[in-house]
Structures are given as C-alpha cells and as structure tokens.
Amino acid sequence: MKNMLKVILIAVSFLCLSSCENPLNKNSSNTPPVPASQSGEQNNNKTSTEFTVKTFSSSEGFSCDVHVLSSEKGNILIDPGFYDDKLADYVETIGGLDASLVTHGHWDNLHELDKVAKVNLEAEVFMNELDFPFLRDPHLNCSDINGFSLLVDTKPQTFTEGLYKIGGYDIEVIHTPGHTIGSSSLYLPEENIMFSGDTFMIPFIGRADHPTGNEEDRKTTINKFKERDFPDDMKIYPGHRGNTTYKKMLKTNIDLQ
C-alpha cells in the first residue's frame, strides 16, 4: 500500500509539471523547447534504447566534469566548462551534438560554451531562464573572483521547471535553487539518470555563498529532493566529485541525512 501511494503521488506530480507553461526568455533568439509527452511507466533497469554517458574531467587547472549522453535518440553534452581535444574528438566520433545543456550559470559550467556552439552549429543550447543573466556578468558567473571576465556570446534557449523533449530525450527539469537562483537538475526517467550540476554531489549539496545563492532556497531544495522517491539504482552525474547512485547518495551526502 505504501509503495502504491508513492506511485500515485509521483504520477500526480508529473501531471502537474506537464501542465506548466515554459516561456522563452525574452533575451533568447531561439524558439522554446518542445514539452515532452508523459510516458506511461518508468523502466528502472532497462530502456528501449541503449545509451552511454561518458564523463570527462578537466585537466586545465580547475575542477569540472563534463558529461556526454549518447544513444540513437541523440547526443547531449552537459555543462561545457571545458572542451579539450579528447572531448572534442569523442564528440566527433559520435556524430556531433544535438544539444548542450547548462545546469547553472557559473563560469566553470560555461567557459567553453561558445566553442562548443561554434563547432556544433546544429546543436540547440538550453539553460534555466533565471541564470540567463550570468552569461555576460563576470560577477554573477564568478569569473571575476578567479581573475578574469567571462562574457559568453551564445544565447541559449531557456527552460523553467517542467517536462521537455530535448535532443531526442524526455527530460524533467527540476528547479533546485540554492547554489544559484536558476540551478536545475535534469532527470531522464527513461534512462534512469540525473544530471545534478553543483546541487546534488556525493558529499554535500552545493554551497549558497555565491551571487544569487540563498541558504533558504538551498534548504527547500534539500527537502524537495528528500520528498521524491527515485529508483535506488538511478545514476547521478554531478558537476564535481564523481558519479554515484541515488541510494548511495542518500547515505554519503551529509545534507540529505
């Protein structure tokens, strides 16, 4: 009975999210992403499409993990903080990108967005509308405290919390503010994976002492995550500190205890 109630609550949550409007940020020159249709049930262990998530860690003097999701559905890059030869060569071998997604607007997630966009001209780019101003503000994207000024020319399409079809995948965008005002976690139920940016990491939840960070928002995000019931074996791909599963994160993350 308890499990049945959880299933009903999750189904109601998805129905509510699917009814949300997803406006395009007025600064974006592109059309908004197409909302995804809701699938009937979640497959926790197998999907109809084989897929690969390959993680690349920066060797350029700063910490940053870039993830590339690839399958016959499409190819998506998450958080283009760097784009070295090894990563670029891999993207070329899988036939280029269909989309690039940004989980939040800090410089180590945006540093090579322009390069990625220029090399992958057909790829769409998305980020949360609340972090859109970070693109051209060195204070907001925190490049100024690292000794340089990052100004990104690429103008992504924007999303809010809700269900989307991006790059061939059904993606639930979960608004998880606290680290930044627009921080978002990207949940792909069919693939049973989540890209969590700097919000949900193995040891802790991303800190709230950067511009637009907010401790109350951070606490709300923690509670929001704890109220969800994801599959134990869901793989989580953060922006730093390695990958894990939902079950393991609940045990290792001090903020989720």
Side-chain angles (χ1 to χ4, degrees):
M1 178 64 69
K2 185 176 180 180
N3 289 333
M4 184 177 297
L5 287 175
K6 288 182 179 179
V7 171
I8 293 172
L9 287 173
I10 292 172
V12 171
S13 174
F14 271 88
L15 287 172
C16 291
L17 285 170
S18 64
S19 66
C20 295
E21 291 184 357
N22 301 291
L24 177 67
N25 186 291
K26 65 181 180 180
N27 294 317
S28 174
S29 61
N30 297 313
T31 55
V34 178
S37 58
Q38 185 176 345
S39 59
E41 63 181 30
Q42 180 176 300
N43 188 335
N44 294 344
N45 299 311
K46 296 181 180 180
T47 65
S48 58
T49 302
E50 294 295 324
F51 68 92
T52 299
V53 178
K54 192 169 179 64
T55 298
F56 296 82
S57 297
S58 173
S59 59
E60 300 182 6
F62 62 92
S63 170
C64 172
D65 286 345
V66 176
H67 309 290
V68 181
L69 167 62
S70 177
S71 78
E72 63 182 30
K73 291 182 178 180
N75 304 322
I76 297 179
L77 183 146
I78 313 296
D79 287 336
F82 72 96
Y83 199 65
D84 60 12
D85 290 343
K86 182 178 180 180
L87 176 50
D89 288 346
Y90 176 73
V91 169
E92 184 176 357
T93 65
I94 61 175
L97 299 175
D98 296 289
S100 296
L101 305 182
V102 179
T103 61
H104 65 290
H106 283 159
W107 72 271
D108 54 342
N109 304 88
L110 297 169
H111 194 242
E112 294 292 357
L113 178 56
D114 283 343
K115 182 176 181 180
V116 171
K118 289 177 181 177
V119 174
N120 299 273
L121 293 175
E122 301 301 317
E124 300 173 299
V125 182
F126 301 91
M127 70 185 302
N128 190 293
E129 64 178 10
L130 296 175
D131 274 11
F132 191 92
F134 287 52
L135 296 168
R136 308 252 336 146
D137 190 324
H139 175 64
L140 290 179
N141 65 44
C142 293
S143 59
D144 62 346
I145 62 174
N146 286 276
F148 71 105
S149 295
L150 177 65
L151 300 173
V152 178
D153 294 325
T154 302
K155 293 181 172 58
Q157 300 180 57
T158 58
F159 50 57
T160 58
E161 183 165 277
L163 302 178
Y164 294 87
K165 174 78 77 172
I166 300 175
Y169 297 88
D170 292 328
I171 300 177
E172 179 188 355
V173 176
I174 306 173
H175 186 210
T176 51
H179 188 56
T180 69
I181 192 172
S183 288
S184 300
S185 296
L186 311 172
Y187 175 44
L188 287 72
E190 291 183 11
E191 285 68 35
N192 195 29
I193 59 177
M194 175 184 288
F195 299 102
S196 60
D198 291 3
T199 300
F200 303 110
M201 295 180 284
I202 292 175
F204 48 70
I205 305 301
R207 50 197 259 201
D209 59 349
H210 296 303
T212 78
N214 182 284
E215 185 59 32
E216 288 304 312
D217 285 345
R218 183 175 177 273
K219 291 177 181 177
T220 298
T221 288
I222 291 170
N223 290 332
K224 185 178 186 176
F225 187 80
K226 292 168 74 172
E227 289 170 359
R228 293 289 296 261
D229 186 21
F230 298 104
D232 284 347
D233 62 348
M234 179 184 72
K235 196 70 177 287
I236 299 178
Y237 297 90
H240 307 274
R241 300 176 179 271
N243 307 323
T244 187
T245 64
Y246 173 66
K247 183 177 182 179
K248 290 179 180 178
M249 178 169 284
L250 291 179
K251 295 179 179 179
T252 62
N253 188 301
I254 60 172
D255 293 309
L256 296 175
Q257 304 306 310

